[in-house]
């Protein structure tokens, strides 16, 4: 990691944008970071990229390249730099040798790729024989030979089926971003009253989720409910916990589940300004024994025992390994009703076995220390007991402070801040499942008016011209997160609301929330880059052309207390992200704007909701929230939603791969090139049609292919009829009619039948198909992605 110290106050020379490079030589360095610093006086520690394709990057030299200061009329100033890493000579030496071997191997493979592409077969054979380097997996070499050199499409399809049988597409399925599948849970019996500002936690072993407290729009609640994750039914455990010795009515509190003692911990609450002068502001900690069904007072005032003061919007997490409760952030409830001085809480731990509090990191403004943590609210706190790490997905402290993902290493008592990587600001369409799956089609020139289809055409119907960017998590009104330790993934639910806080965040967020009603355009496309260190989600404000009513009938909560009629909601954007920890990759799973445009089953956007994660079934359960109806401020939801993350399986990837091959073969038929290349066609499709109305692969196409003339060019009329039959019988069954992108691409193919005889004449057409198919195979089995000539040019510069 790299730490930047700063001037004692804001300064025009501070780095607004910079890059960091590292390597073993000043002449050969790798980009480790592309980021920027906040214009304040607080030091920032940012993690650097540590691996390249799984290999640790040894660094003897570090270069900081300033790009932009906060005032462009002034020079750059770097006040203080501190580097942290492993300096053990034995470790570094071993990693250096391993990385040098990796670089040499990749250089040889780049040469092999260059020789093969240029037709230098003797040089290719000699280098491969002497170095014993493997350019790619054998099946990929055979696939390239079939597509590029021989145009043997039947052989290519056979190789793809063999790859699927050997589970070579499994790695690709793991790289595809998730898609969201929502389902309203309508369990039998009573359900909790509508509310927001409540808290939920889950007992994974007994498969029960607990819900406590909240605000129903009029008053605080103190009821306790249990949700069966198997049946989806709610059960009321207590209508008033105060009467059973519990914490009493409250909202904006913190709650977590102790998996060792099967207990629920509750702490903190919000107190209205008008009542702060008369109310006791002690921060009590309660414990609910789920086995014995009783409440216990752990502490009547945690501050007196070295714990936090009374806070609201703090977050709690339980570490089963150390049997500790961690509490972070939130605003301290001040005695003065004006709340003129805002005080944030830091990071605390409570040892459950010893009943002992410890202040790990105070807030920066409470005590100056070398390593500090900035308190905040509207955030999420997660704990990985196995890795002994805390993850803080942050939101607001002040609207001028960017959002971040903070990692706290428990063993070393160290924070690492994952800052926004400016490399994410590329203007690309959102990295969603639809875009990932269809950008392979965009690599080919499917004839649509003779123009080349680009990746932007597959951005979920969103143009990517001149997008604006804001940090979504900075402006989040609600941030909820869960952790899958097995897959090392963080799932983030974020909601952005048009309120006074959002309005103060500047014109970018205001433009996001400015739309009103069905006639206003809602810019609802979000994305995050899928590579590199230090990336975090950004929203890409584009005119997507999406028009919708924010709260559709049947999408919101039902039952008493939801507010009834009384006006539509102000615009709220609700999104779900997935963060893959090992690769530091953010992808978008759900966007309420896109879901509304597609008219699928999904919850209405809201904030102040909560959710839990059923790790065994890999499902999330979300309850309640505030729809922010301008004509009914007391409206709340009492609906329960189940969210599943879906991905295509290997069979669907095979279907897509076969579609690319048959698409190319059809274009060759239209150009007359296929008849001269091969008269052998695939008689039967091994992939069933995803369309209910499709008839499957017909047997008549084989006869049509066998009628191809062995010599000379086939007449245009016969060529067109044969290509049309192939399109209908072999290509159409592989198209998912429910997918708008696939349907449009398939319909565009028909234009090749009319006046486009050059469609298959391009000698590089097979190479483009091959390169598109590479996305379905493991990266370690593919040829190098770069080009040798571009590498040499870069070295000369």
């Amino acid at each position: 990691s790299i730490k930047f110290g700063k001037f004692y106050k804001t300064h025009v020379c501070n780095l607004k944008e910079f890059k960091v490079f590292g390597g073993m030589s000043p002449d050969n360095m790798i980009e480790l970071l592309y980021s920027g610093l906040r214009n304040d006086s607080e030091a920032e520690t940012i993690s650097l990229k540590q691996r390249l394709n799984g290999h640790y990057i040894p660094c003897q030299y570090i270069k900081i390249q300033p790009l932009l200061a906060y005032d462009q009329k002034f020079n750059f100033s770097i006040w203080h730099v501190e580097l942290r890493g492993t300096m053990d000579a034995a470790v570094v030496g071993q990693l250096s040798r391993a990385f040098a071997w990796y670089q040499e191997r990749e250089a040889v493979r780049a040469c092999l790729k260059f020789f093969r592409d240029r037709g230098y077969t003797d040089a290719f054979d000699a280098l491969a024989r002497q170095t014993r380097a493997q350019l790619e997996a054998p099946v990929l070499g055979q696939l390239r030979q079939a597509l590029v050199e021989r145009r043997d499409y039947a052989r290519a399809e056979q190789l793809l089926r063999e790859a699927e049988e050997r589970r070579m597409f499994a790695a690709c399925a793991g790289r595809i971003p998730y898609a969201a599948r929502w389902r309203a849970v309508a369990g039998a019996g009573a359900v909790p009253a509508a509310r927001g500002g409540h808290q939920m936690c889950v007992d994974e072993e007994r498969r029960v989720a607990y819900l406590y407290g909240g605000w129903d729009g009029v008053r605080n609640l103190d009821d306790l409910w249990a949700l069966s994750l198997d049946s989806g039914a709610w059960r009321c455990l207590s209508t008033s916990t105060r009467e059973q010795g519990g914490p009493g009515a409250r909202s904006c509190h913190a709650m977590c589940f102790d998996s060792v003692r099967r207990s629920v911990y509750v702490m903190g609450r919000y107190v209205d300004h008008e009542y702060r002068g008369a109310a006791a502001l002690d921060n009590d900690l309660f414990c609910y024994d789920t086995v014995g069904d009783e409440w216990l007072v752990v502490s009547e005032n945690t501050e007196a025992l070295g714990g936090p003061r009374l806070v609201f919007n703090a977050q709690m997490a339980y570490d089963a390994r150390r049997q500790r409760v961690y509490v972070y952030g939130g605003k301290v409830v001040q005695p003065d009703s004006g709340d003129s001085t805002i005080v944030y809480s830091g990071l605390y731990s409570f040892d459950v076995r010893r009943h002992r509090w410890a202040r790990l990191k105070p807030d920066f403004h409470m005590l100056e220390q070398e390593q500090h943590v900035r308190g905040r609210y509207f955030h999420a706190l997660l704990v990985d007991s196995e890795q002994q790490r805390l993850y803080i997905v942050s939101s607001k402290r002040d609207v001028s402070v960017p959002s971040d993902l903070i990692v706290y290493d428990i063993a070393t008592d160290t924070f690492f801040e994952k800052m926004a990587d400016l490399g994410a600001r590329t203007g690309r369409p959102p990295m969603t499942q639809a875009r990932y799956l269809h950008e392979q089609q965009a690599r080919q020139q499917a004839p649509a008016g003779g123009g080349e289809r680009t990746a932007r055409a597959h951005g979920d119907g969103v143009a990517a011209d001149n997008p604006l960017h804001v940090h979504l998590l900075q402006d989040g009104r609600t941030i909820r997160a869960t952790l899958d330790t097995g897959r090392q993934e963080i799932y983030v639910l974020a909601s952005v609301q048009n309120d006074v806080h959002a309005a103060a965040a500047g014109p970018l967020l205001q433009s996001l929330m400015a739309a009103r009603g069905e006639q206003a355009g809602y810019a609802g496309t979000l994305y995050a880059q899928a590579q590199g260190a230090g990336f975090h989600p950004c929203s890409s404000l584009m005119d997507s052309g999406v028009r919708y009513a924010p709260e559709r009938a049947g999408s919101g909560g039902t039952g008493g207390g939801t507010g009834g009629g009384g006006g539509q909601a102000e615009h709220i954007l609700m999104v779900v992200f997935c963060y893959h920890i090992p690769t530091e990759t953010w992808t978008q799973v759900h966007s309420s704007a896109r879901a509304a445009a597609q008219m699928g089953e999904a919850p209405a956007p809201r904030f102040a909701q909560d959710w839990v994660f059923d790790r065994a079934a890999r499902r999330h359960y979300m309850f309640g929230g505030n729809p922010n109806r301008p004509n009914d401020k007391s409206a709340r939801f009492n609906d329960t939603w189940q969210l599943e993350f879906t991905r295509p399986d290997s069979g669907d990837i095979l279907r897509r791969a076969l579609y690319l091959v048959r698409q190319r073969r059809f274009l060759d038929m239209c150009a007359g090139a296929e008849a001269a290349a091969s008269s052998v066609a695939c008689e039967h499709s091994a992939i069933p049609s995803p369309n209910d109305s499709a008839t499957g692969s017909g047997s008549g196409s084989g006869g049509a292919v066998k009628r191809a003339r062995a010599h000379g060019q086939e007449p245009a009329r016969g060529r067109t009829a044969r290509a049309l039959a192939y399109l209908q019988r072999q290509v159409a069954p592989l198209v998912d009619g429910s997918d708008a992108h696939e349907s449009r691409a398939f319909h565009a193919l028909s234009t090749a039948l009319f006046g486009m005889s050059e469609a298959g004449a391009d000698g590089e057409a097979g190479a483009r198909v091959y390169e598109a198919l590479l996305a379905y195979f493991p990266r370690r089995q593919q040829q190098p992605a770069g080009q040798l000539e571009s590498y040499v040019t870069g070295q000369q510069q």
Side-chain angles (χ1 to χ4, degrees):
S1 64
I2 185 170
K3 179 180 179 180
F4 288 91
K6 300 177 187 176
F7 198 51
Y8 72 94
K9 61 180 181 179
T10 60
H11 201 283
V12 294
C13 296
N14 282 340
L15 290 179
K16 187 176 183 179
E17 186 176 338
F18 65 93
K19 289 185 177 182
V20 177
F21 299 85
M24 298 299 293
S25 168
D27 301 325
N28 186 15
M29 308 186 81
I30 300 171
E31 182 178 314
L32 306 178
L33 180 68
Y34 182 16
S35 189
L37 301 177
R38 296 186 292 260
N39 191 16
D40 55 25
S41 61
E42 301 175 23
E44 297 183 43
T45 301
I46 310 175
S47 63
L48 300 175
K49 182 177 181 179
Q50 300 181 22
R51 297 190 183 190
L52 181 63
N53 295 332
H55 297 267
Y56 282 101
I57 304 173
C59 295
Q60 186 173 358
Y61 297 89
I62 291 289
K63 179 176 71 173
I64 301 174
Q65 180 182 2
L67 299 176
L68 186 65
Y70 272 89
D71 192 327
Q72 301 182 25
K73 300 186 297 292
F74 291 84
N75 293 325
F76 309 102
S77 292
I78 301 178
W79 307 94
H80 168 81
V81 172
E82 177 182 312
L83 296 173
R84 296 183 180 181
T86 301
M87 299 184 63
D88 188 289
V91 175
V92 175
Q94 181 180 359
L95 295 179
S96 299
R97 290 188 294 272
F99 192 76
W101 174 85
Y102 162 74
Q103 288 182 306
E104 180 178 345
R105 187 192 64 179
E106 291 303 299
V108 171
R109 295 177 67 235
C111 293
L112 290 174
K113 178 183 177 182
F114 177 82
F115 293 154
R116 186 178 66 177
D117 292 344
R118 294 300 187 274
Y120 301 144
T121 55
D122 293 342
F124 177 90
D125 294 338
L127 183 59
R129 183 172 54 253
Q130 183 174 357
T131 61
R132 298 182 180 179
Q134 189 178 48
L135 176 59
E136 58 201 354
V139 66
L140 289 178
Q142 299 172 32
L143 183 62
R144 184 186 183 279
Q145 187 179 53
L147 289 172
V148 180
E149 301 177 11
R150 300 180 179 177
R151 288 189 180 177
D152 187 349
Y153 297 114
R155 174 59 176 164
E157 292 193 19
Q158 178 185 357
L159 291 170
L160 290 173
R161 293 191 186 91
E162 293 176 358
E164 196 274 336
E165 292 174 356
R166 293 159 58 183
R167 298 187 56 80
M168 296 183 69
F169 296 150
C172 173
R175 295 197 307 266
I176 298 176
Y178 293 111
R181 179 188 297 158
W182 291 95
R183 183 180 69 86
V185 179
V191 297
R195 69 192 70 200
H198 52 282
Q199 286 283 298
M200 299 178 68
C201 60
V202 62
D203 182 348
E204 297 180 3
E205 183 176 336
R206 298 173 65 184
R207 300 188 52 72
V208 175
Y210 295 94
L211 180 149
Y212 171 73
W215 173 264
D216 66 358
V218 179
R219 61 186 179 89
N220 284 320
L221 304 174
D222 65 339
D223 51 351
L224 177 66
W225 291 77
L227 171 67
S228 171
L229 302 183
D230 294 322
S231 65
W234 284 97
R235 181 168 58 95
C236 183
L237 301 178
S238 174
T239 57
S240 176
T241 59
R242 173 68 73 182
E243 298 177 357
Q244 299 177 345
R250 62 186 62 200
S251 60
C252 300
H253 49 285
M255 190 167 80
C256 67
F257 184 78
D258 181 344
S259 57
V260 177
R261 294 164 183 79
R262 323 221 71 77
S263 301
V264 176
Y265 292 96
V266 177
M267 188 200 75
R269 67 188 186 277
Y270 177 75
V271 180
D272 281 332
H273 297 285
E274 56 183 305
Y275 300 118
R276 294 184 182 181
L281 300 183
D282 295 336
N283 191 37
D284 47 23
L285 175 64
F286 283 83
C287 173
Y288 173 68
D289 182 358
T290 63
V291 179
D293 188 26
E294 63 176 342
W295 284 95
L296 302 173
V297 181
V298 180
S299 174
E300 295 182 351
N301 186 5
T302 59
E303 182 184 6
L305 302 177
R309 299 162 64 182
L310 178 60
V311 292
F312 64 95
N313 284 328
Q315 292 297 321
M316 298 175 66
Y318 179 76
D319 180 4
R321 179 176 172 182
R322 291 178 177 251
Q323 298 188 38
R324 291 180 181 177
V325 174
Y326 292 93
V327 182
Y328 169 71
K331 284 186 177 181
V332 176
V333 180
Q334 298 284 72
D336 60 306
S337 59
D339 205 14
S340 57
T341 302
I342 299 178
V343 178
Y344 296 92
S345 184
L347 177 63
Y348 293 82
S349 70
F350 176 69
D351 192 322
V352 177
R353 292 172 295 186
R354 298 179 176 86
H355 282 245
R356 183 180 303 169
W357 282 96
R359 185 173 66 177
L360 303 178
K361 297 293 180 182
D363 179 64
F364 176 73
H365 293 288
M366 293 170 59
L367 180 65
E368 185 80 27
Q369 285 194 350
E370 174 64 20
Q371 288 186 355
H372 59 269
V373 56
R374 294 173 55 86
R376 62 207 70 212
Y377 67 112
F378 296 147
H379 60 283
L381 176 66
L382 305 169
V383 60
D384 187 339
S385 297
E386 298 177 3
Q387 301 291 332
Q388 283 296 284
R389 285 186 171 184
L390 296 180
Y391 295 95
I392 301 170
V393 184
S394 90
S395 180
K396 291 183 177 178
R397 176 187 177 94
D398 305 302
V399 294
S400 60
V401 177
S403 61
D404 46 19
L405 171 65
I406 298 175
V407 180
Y408 175 71
D409 187 82
I410 298 175
T412 61
D413 189 32
T414 306
F415 277 99
F416 297 95
E417 189 172 9
K418 301 289 187 180
M419 294 300 299
D421 195 309
L422 299 179
R425 303 183 180 185
T426 59
R428 297 182 64 201
M431 182 58 69
T432 61
Q433 183 180 110
R435 178 179 180 271
Y436 183 95
L437 292 174
H438 294 293
E439 67 180 0
Q440 278 74 46
Q441 297 178 6
R443 295 181 182 181
Q444 292 190 274
Q445 282 189 319
E452 180 177 358
R453 300 175 60 84
T454 65
R456 290 191 306 172
H458 300 284
D460 296 329
V462 179
D465 296 330
N466 301 320
L468 300 175
H469 298 274
V470 296
H471 299 298
L472 173 69
L473 299 185
Q474 172 193 349
D475 305 308
R477 188 63 170 82
T478 298
I479 300 291
R480 298 288 184 260
T482 57
L483 173 66
D484 188 333
T485 55
R487 299 196 179 192
Q488 284 294 286
E489 292 176 337
I490 297 176
Y491 311 114
V492 180
L493 171 66
S495 297
V496 182
Q497 162 204 16
N498 185 21
D499 62 0
V500 293
H501 298 289
L508 293 181
L509 185 60
Q510 292 179 32
S511 66
L512 172 65
M513 293 300 160
R516 290 289 188 275
E518 294 187 42
Q519 303 302 320
Y522 190 90
T525 301
L526 300 167
Y527 88 99
Q529 282 296 87
Q531 299 193 40
F535 285 30
H536 74 101
C538 296
S539 62
S540 190
L541 306 186
M542 309 173 187
D543 183 11
S544 62
V546 176
R547 305 290 188 266
Y548 77 105
E551 195 176 329
R552 302 191 310 276
S555 297
T558 58
T562 59
Q568 290 185 340
E570 293 188 18
H571 281 294
I572 298 175
L573 178 64
M574 188 173 74
V575 292
V576 178
F577 290 111
C578 173
Y579 177 73
H580 187 240
I581 297 174
T583 59
E584 299 186 355
T585 300
W586 285 97
T587 52
Q588 178 191 312
V589 180
H590 168 78
S591 169
S592 59
R594 185 172 296 111
Q598 296 172 352
M599 300 303 292
E601 184 181 22
R606 66 200 62 197
F607 69 94
Q609 73 275 40
D610 202 3
W611 71 348
V612 293
F613 182 48
D614 179 4
R615 204 183 311 264
R618 293 194 47 76
R619 295 170 181 166
H620 283 86
Y621 291 86
M622 183 184 74
F623 178 83
N626 187 343
N628 197 33
R629 292 175 181 155
N631 298 331
D632 188 358
K633 292 299 184 180
S634 64
R636 299 295 185 272
F637 285 136
N638 71 334
D639 50 353
T640 306
W641 287 85
Q642 179 191 97
L643 171 62
E644 288 189 80
F645 293 163
T646 63
R647 276 174 172 160
D649 56 14
S650 296
D652 188 72
I653 294 176
L654 174 60
R655 176 186 66 83
R656 295 173 183 274
L658 292 178
Y659 174 81
L660 291 178
V661 174
R662 294 187 184 182
Q663 174 184 259
R664 185 67 259 166
R665 183 174 186 176
F666 166 75
L667 295 176
D668 283 359
M669 287 182 175
C670 294
E674 196 270 345
S678 174
S679 62
V680 180
C682 176
E683 296 287 343
H684 303 285
S685 172
I687 304 299
S689 171
N691 310 310
D692 294 335
S693 59
T695 58
S697 57
S699 60
S701 62
V705 174
K706 292 179 181 178
R707 289 194 297 269
R709 299 182 179 181
H711 303 283
Q713 183 70 22
E714 186 177 5
R717 179 176 298 179
R719 188 173 73 237
T720 301
R722 188 167 65 89
L724 179 60
Y726 184 83
L727 182 68
Q728 294 173 335
R729 299 171 182 175
Q730 296 292 341
V731 182
L734 297 180
V735 179
D736 185 354
S738 63
D739 190 309
H741 293 289
E742 290 193 26
S743 297
R744 286 196 297 266
F746 174 70
H747 294 154
L749 282 177
S750 61
T751 61
L753 296 169
F754 310 102
M756 298 188 65
S757 60
E758 75 279 4
D762 187 359
E764 298 181 356
R768 288 197 296 274
V769 178
Y770 172 73
E771 292 174 358
L773 291 173
L774 287 179
Y776 298 137
F777 289 85
R779 292 190 179 95
R780 64 180 182 277
Q781 298 180 358
Q782 301 178 21
Q783 64 182 8
Q787 300 294 333
L788 182 62
E789 52 268 36
S790 62
Y791 170 78
V792 173
T793 302
Q795 288 298 98
Q796 291 176 343
Q797 292 177 348

